[in-house]
Amino acid sequence: MSRLRDDVWQVVGGVYDQILAHPFLAGLTDGSLPREAFRHYVVQEAHFLPDYARAQAACAARSPEPASVQSFARDAAMTVEVEHSLVVELLAAFGLDEADARKLPAAPTTVGYASYLVRTCSLGTFPEALGAIVPCYWIYARVGEALLQRSSPDPLYAWWIETYGAESYQETVAGALDLLDALVLSADDRERLLDRALTTARFEWMYWEAAWRREGWPCG
């Protein structure tokens, strides 16, 4: 029987291929990405990451085993300490602090994605929570790994790439995948987990697309 991670990748791999080919990521690596698009992305990260950490903490709360409680609690703390710190430093490169960023609106995709993660991880079953959260880890790791081979002539973009391509981040993702493979699931639970994973992967593509388009609210 295949590992659960293999089944998840079979579901999300096609979306990942579309993400890797997206002009936002192509522009990161060749340096052609407009700075305003990257600024939009960083501002949205300032809105998104606290809810991502909340979703990780919810996974910890719902975890049936002490090892997974510890793992997700640690990852939630790392999101705040490492990823959040990166965003604060990137905002500074645009002359913004976190308070400035939070005065700017969270885009529709950011609101939808963050709400989906927090809701699923808080109210779904533990397998559903894992299905929703693991692609966040894994797709970023695969993107970071792929982009690290190319880097970027723009030092700001190279800095972002190095964070997600770094060995320490890859090790964090490996731990999440090990937890995924350890699950013993019914056929129904497996189907629901895979459905949640596909939804998250789609939101990942939408997040890059929103940054590329500098998405805003269409009314109000």
Side-chain angles (χ1 to χ4, degrees), residues 20 31 63-64 78 81 88 132 145 150 161 172 199:
L20 200 58
S63 298
M78 289 293 290
E81 293 168 14
V88 169
E145 190 176 38
R150 311 173 203 170
I161 290 168
T172 297
T199 299

Side-chain angles (χ1 to χ4, degrees), residues 24 28 33-50 83-98 100-102 104-107 110 140 156-157 159-160 164 207-208 210-212 214:
F24 187 100
L28 273 178
L33 179 70
R35 279 297 178 96
E36 280 303 303
F38 193 65
R39 178 182 182 273
H40 179 100
Y41 166 81
V42 175
V43 167
Q44 295 308 306
E45 285 285 88
H47 288 289
F48 177 79
L49 283 176
E83 295 187 67
H84 176 259
S85 296
L86 172 67
V87 166
V88 169
E89 294 183 57
L90 289 172
L91 286 170
F94 289 104
L96 298 170
D97 61 24
E98 192 172 7
D100 295 325
R102 289 186 173 280
L104 299 171
T110 303
Y140 257 67
L156 195 64
Y157 300 164
W159 182 16
W160 182 93
Y164 291 102
Y207 198 74
W208 298 113
W212 176 249
R214 284 162 261 179

Side-chain angles (χ1 to χ4, degrees), residues 18-220:
Q18 294 175 63
I19 289 169
L20 200 58
H22 195 280
F24 187 100
L25 295 181
L28 273 178
T29 54
D30 66 17
S32 67
L33 179 70
R35 279 297 178 96
E36 280 303 303
F38 193 65
R39 178 182 182 273
H40 179 100
Y41 166 81
V42 175
V43 167
Q44 295 308 306
E45 285 285 88
H47 288 289
F48 177 79
L49 283 176
D51 280 334
Y52 179 46
R54 290 183 183 100
Q56 291 170 313
C59 286
R62 300 186 68 78
S63 298
E65 300 294 337
S68 51
V69 173
Q70 182 181 30
S71 179
F72 281 115
R74 181 179 63 245
D75 291 351
M78 289 293 290
T79 294
V80 174
E81 293 168 14
V82 178
E83 295 187 67
H84 176 259
S85 296
L86 172 67
V87 166
V88 169
E89 294 183 57
L90 289 172
L91 286 170
F94 289 104
L96 298 170
D97 61 24
E98 192 172 7
D100 295 325
R102 289 186 173 280
K103 290 175 185 175
L104 299 171
T109 295
T110 303
V111 173
Y113 189 10
S115 299
Y116 173 76
L117 285 178
V118 171
R119 180 181 183 277
T120 304
C121 294
S122 299
L123 301 179
T125 64
F126 183 62
E128 286 175 316
L130 269 187
I133 202 78
V134 163
C136 304
Y137 287 78
W138 204 0
I139 288 174
Y140 257 67
R142 293 288 294 266
V143 165
E145 190 176 38
L147 269 56
L148 191 61
Q149 298 174 18
R150 311 173 203 170
S151 191
S152 176
D154 187 309
L156 195 64
Y157 300 164
W159 182 16
W160 182 93
I161 290 168
E162 287 165 8
T163 298
Y164 291 102
E167 186 177 347
S168 58
Y169 186 72
Q170 301 296 326
E171 290 173 355
T172 297
V173 175
L177 293 176
D178 287 342
L179 292 176
L180 183 71
D181 286 339
L183 290 177
V184 178
L185 302 176
S186 68
D188 286 345
D189 282 340
R190 196 179 194 90
E191 184 177 351
R192 283 193 292 269
L193 183 152
L194 295 175
D195 176 76
R196 304 307 181 266
L198 178 58
T199 299
T200 291
R202 287 167 169 165
F203 266 122
E204 283 286 329
W205 182 92
M206 291 168 62
Y207 198 74
W208 298 113
E209 174 68 10
W212 176 249
R213 293 188 291 105
R214 284 162 261 179
E215 178 188 65
W217 292 92
C219 57

